[in-house]
Amino acid sequence: MRVIALFGDIHSNIQALEACLEDAEAHGVTRYVFLGDFVGYGGDPGKVMAKIEAMVSDGAVAVKGNHDDMASDFDREMNETAASAANWTRHQLSKEQQKFLDSLPMVIEDEDRLYVHADASAPEKWRYVTDCASAQLSLEGTQSRIVVCGHVHQPAIYGLASDGSISRFVPADEAKVPLLSSRRWHVVLPSVGQPRDGNPLAGYGLYDTTSRQLEFRRLPYDIDGAAASIRAAGLPGRLADRLHVGR
């Protein structure tokens, strides 16, 4: 049995990341995959990056997210809140950490799976997969049977049948969803560090390559601590407030 842990959108939230990693270890995970946006918004980018770099050195794989790109690209345009967090984050990261983020690949293919932060048909455009049409466009950009992404902060699974029809559903937490070989699949992960689906619990995915079952897990973590780190950094207060409501 090979169990893969899938993490997206950590956003400098070390408390949420540590809760998810602890849960993954308890489930016998043998491979760790990180789907970008390690930094941005949250108050502990250095701690998160130290953890990610150590795990990649130990065999985990990681792709670049748009906020990771912002941390090493000083000319990228962004909204005021994101710009404030990105500018602060850049000053918290070492040159080596910025180089690590800049060197990350946009996509990684692993057996029948493709890992990407956003849309697989044009990863560098950072398009959101939010409905059946955008999921189908993303799947058309690859031959992989399963695409796994983050970016949206709202979990969903899309199934593409052989006749071209596509459906969307949001499984219950901890429900084991079989990714049947008769379909292609596009998985949008919950966010580890900044959920936006109305559920403030940290989220990540588990995929069992033997049974081909996928599970979304949601976990309590020290939200007060994460919010306090944001406020202590002098970042916009709404970035701390939203953690409590998952918006």
Side-chain angles (χ1 to χ4, degrees):
M1 182 180 295
R2 183 182 178 201
V3 183
I4 303 173
L6 305 160
F7 303 88
D9 301 284
I10 298 164
H11 284 295
S12 300
N13 188 334
I14 189 64
Q15 292 86 352
L17 175 60
E18 288 179 342
C20 290
L21 288 173
E22 182 179 354
D23 187 76
E25 184 177 359
H27 282 81
V29 166
T30 56
R31 186 165 179 78
Y32 292 83
V33 177
F34 297 96
L35 274 71
D37 275 9
F38 307 113
V39 299
Y41 297 132
D44 291 298
K47 292 179 181 179
V48 167
M49 287 309 306
K51 176 66 72 173
I52 298 301
E53 287 188 85
M55 294 191 71
V56 168
S57 294
D58 200 35
V61 297
V63 298
K64 183 187 294 187
N66 55 304
H67 282 263
D68 309 321
D69 196 34
M70 291 174 188
S72 58
D73 182 355
F74 287 75
D75 297 321
R76 178 168 290 279
E77 294 184 4
M78 62 197 86
N79 65 49
E80 183 177 352
T81 299
S84 174
N87 289 332
W88 178 83
T89 296
R90 288 168 184 155
H91 289 93
Q92 309 310 308
L93 299 178
S94 68
K95 293 295 183 183
E96 289 72 22
Q97 288 172 330
Q98 289 188 21
K99 288 179 181 178
F100 174 83
L101 290 174
D102 190 50
S103 69
L104 289 173
M106 297 296 292
V107 300
I108 290 175
E109 293 186 75
D110 185 14
E111 298 179 346
D112 63 345
R113 302 173 299 280
L114 182 141
Y115 304 126
V116 62
H117 180 66
D119 161 70
S121 68
E124 72 286 351
K125 293 184 178 180
W126 310 118
R127 292 195 293 239
Y128 292 88
V129 176
T130 56
D131 54 25
C132 288
S134 54
Q136 186 158 2
L137 176 65
S138 183
L139 284 167
E140 288 172 353
T142 175
Q143 296 299 310
S144 296
R145 190 177 74 87
I146 301 170
V147 172
V148 186
C149 78
H151 196 39
V152 181
H153 297 225
Q154 297 179 10
I157 299 176
Y158 299 86
L160 179 64
S162 57
D163 63 2
S165 62
I166 188 167
S167 59
R168 175 188 186 275
F169 68 102
V170 179
D173 297 341
E174 301 184 26
K176 292 178 170 57
V177 179
L179 301 188
L180 303 175
S181 58
S182 57
R183 289 176 176 254
R184 297 182 67 204
W185 300 92
H186 202 300
V187 176
V188 182
L189 294 175
S191 169
V192 172
Q194 196 183 90
R196 295 180 187 165
D197 60 346
N199 180 353
L201 300 179
Y204 79 103
L206 285 177
Y207 181 63
D208 186 327
T209 61
T210 301
S211 66
R212 295 185 175 180
Q213 291 181 331
L214 175 73
E215 174 185 353
F216 290 155
R217 296 189 58 77
R218 305 300 290 267
L219 305 166
Y221 73 97
D222 181 11
I223 295 178
D224 289 338
S229 292
I230 292 172
R231 293 192 178 95
L235 293 168
R238 67 181 297 269
L239 295 177
D241 296 339
R242 71 191 307 176
L243 295 180
H244 292 278
V245 294
R247 292 291 184 191

